[in-house]
């Protein structure tokens, strides 16, 4: 016999004195529930693993079906697969940043493993199914010029591309890209140069014309926060959702300040291809 649907994680039933029964959704909304002739206690019991005569009561069965149809309950809710099940995440860069990310990916049912630049270069010619593979590259330093140029082509082959790097006391988490026309690391560099009057100095800093970096270091706490933010982006990718917050995950550049762990988000758009200049030589 099929098991009765149970409340999904994040969903609760609330009995308000004098106000009847309500459901608190995973988004935090409260919705009143009209149980008609069914006692609220019977509905609560059925949705929390204490069913009594559910199959013999068509009205209770209809209420359970309504909860399931609305997405507030489901069968075998505790045994649902992880949200990254069937996805492979290839990790490159500093282990202090990629190791906690790998643990979170595996906790969500995904496969996470280190990869090399040669493997990443071969991905466009591979046989992986589109939408199942992501590359995450995390650097504890500024990005050397040209390092990410090859990986910027991955979204054109439907491989997700996510990255972060540190510049002094700030860590930059760039938007996830998983399709043609998304924001690449090259786009982010161009947008950041265009947004500052110190574009020459910023370009020189990226090119390595700077004094040795003196920190602050990426602590375990900061690394855990970075891993959680990147995992949230991967979950949005796997779900095909825009991600939490006012900015969609594919258009959001975030900056984490290592001194106080404050995170700010900034909208960023891809840079259109520049049309070639017309030939004015008459040839």
């Amino acid at each position: 016999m099929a098991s009765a649907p149970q409340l999904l994680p994040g969903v609760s039933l609330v009995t308000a004195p004098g106000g009847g029964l309500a459901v608190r959704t995973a988004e935090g909304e409260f919705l009143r529930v009209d149980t008609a002739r069914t006692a609220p206690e019977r509905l609560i019991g059925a949705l929390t693993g204490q069913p009594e005569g559910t199959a013999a009561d068509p009205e209770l069965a209809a209420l359970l079906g309504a909860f399931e149809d609305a997405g507030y309950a489901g069968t075998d809710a505790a045994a649902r697969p992880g949200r990254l099940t069937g996805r492979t995440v290839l990790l490159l860069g500093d282990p202090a940043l990629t190791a906690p990310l790998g643990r979170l990916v595996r906790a969500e049912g995904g496969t996470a493993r280190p990869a090399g630049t040669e493997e990443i270069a071969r991905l466009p010619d591979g046989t992986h199914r589109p939408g199942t593979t992501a590359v995450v590259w995390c650097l504890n330093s500024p990005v050397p010029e040209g390092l990410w140029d090859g990986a910027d082509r991955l979204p054109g082959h439907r491989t997700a591309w996510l990255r972060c790097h540190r510049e002094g006391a700030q860590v930059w988490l760039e938007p996830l890209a998983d399709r043609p026309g998304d924001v690449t690391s090259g786009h982010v560099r161009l947008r950041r140069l265009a947004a500052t009057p110190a574009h020459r100095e910023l370009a020189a800093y990226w090119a390595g014309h700077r004094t040795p970096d003196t920190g602050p270091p990426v602590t375990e706490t900061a690394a855990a926060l970075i891993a959680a933010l990147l995992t949230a982006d991967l979950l949005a990718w796997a779900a095909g959702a825009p991600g939490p917050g006012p900015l969609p995950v594919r258009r959001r550049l975030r900056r984490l300040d290592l001194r106080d762990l404050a995170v700010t988000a900034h909208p960023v758009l891809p840079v259109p291809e520049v049309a070639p200049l017309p030939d004015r030589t008459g040839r």
Side-chain angles (χ1 to χ4, degrees):
M1 187 176 77
S3 59
Q6 305 291 286
L7 292 175
L8 293 179
V11 180
S12 303
L13 290 174
V14 180
T15 304
L21 187 65
V23 57
R24 184 187 185 277
T25 70
E27 290 74 29
E29 295 181 281
F30 288 92
L31 305 175
R32 292 180 179 175
V33 179
D34 182 2
T35 63
R37 291 179 294 181
T38 300
E41 294 76 14
R42 293 200 66 208
L43 177 62
I44 293 172
L47 288 170
T48 56
Q50 306 169 41
E52 293 183 5
T54 301
D57 187 338
E59 291 187 2
L60 178 56
L63 284 171
L64 295 175
F67 266 74
E68 196 166 13
D69 292 342
Y72 303 138
T75 56
D76 299 323
R80 291 182 307 156
R83 290 173 287 181
L84 291 176
T85 297
R87 268 74 176 190
T88 298
V89 180
L90 304 178
L91 303 172
L92 298 91
D94 193 298
L97 296 171
T98 59
L101 174 60
R103 289 193 291 269
L104 293 180
V105 169
R106 287 186 284 271
E108 288 289 346
T111 298
R113 62 176 177 83
T117 55
E118 298 82 2
E119 181 179 359
I120 301 306
R122 293 193 301 267
L123 279 177
D125 304 320
T127 58
H128 68 279
R129 191 158 50 91
T132 63
T133 303
V135 173
V136 185
W137 203 328
C138 297
L139 295 177
N140 193 18
S141 63
V143 185
E145 193 165 356
L147 179 66
W148 286 350
D149 288 354
D152 272 351
R153 294 192 285 269
L154 292 173
H157 300 275
R158 297 309 300 264
T159 298
W161 167 222
L162 183 60
R163 60 251 171 228
C164 72
H165 69 279
R166 182 174 67 87
E167 296 178 7
Q170 288 80 40
V171 173
W172 292 88
L173 296 93
E174 301 191 0
L176 182 140
D178 69 342
R179 64 197 69 181
D182 275 355
V183 177
T184 66
S185 69
H187 295 158
V188 171
R189 291 171 79 92
L190 290 173
R191 293 294 186 187
R192 288 185 59 194
L193 287 171
T196 175
H199 55 89
R200 293 183 181 87
E201 291 79 3
L202 181 57
Y205 177 83
W206 287 339
H209 303 294
R210 58 183 184 268
T211 56
D213 186 8
T214 57
V218 178
T219 63
E220 288 188 19
T221 302
L225 176 56
I226 293 167
L229 292 171
L230 294 174
T231 302
D233 289 350
L234 291 171
L235 293 177
W237 159 68
L247 298 176
V249 64
R250 293 164 50 239
R251 296 292 185 268
R252 180 182 60 200
L253 174 65
R254 286 173 297 190
R255 183 178 63 185
L256 166 66
D257 195 312
L258 292 172
R259 295 166 296 185
D260 57 8
L261 300 186
V263 180
T264 55
H266 311 270
V268 62
L269 296 173
V271 178
E273 292 289 337
V274 178
L277 293 173
D279 185 356
R280 300 185 182 280
T281 64
R283 291 180 292 177

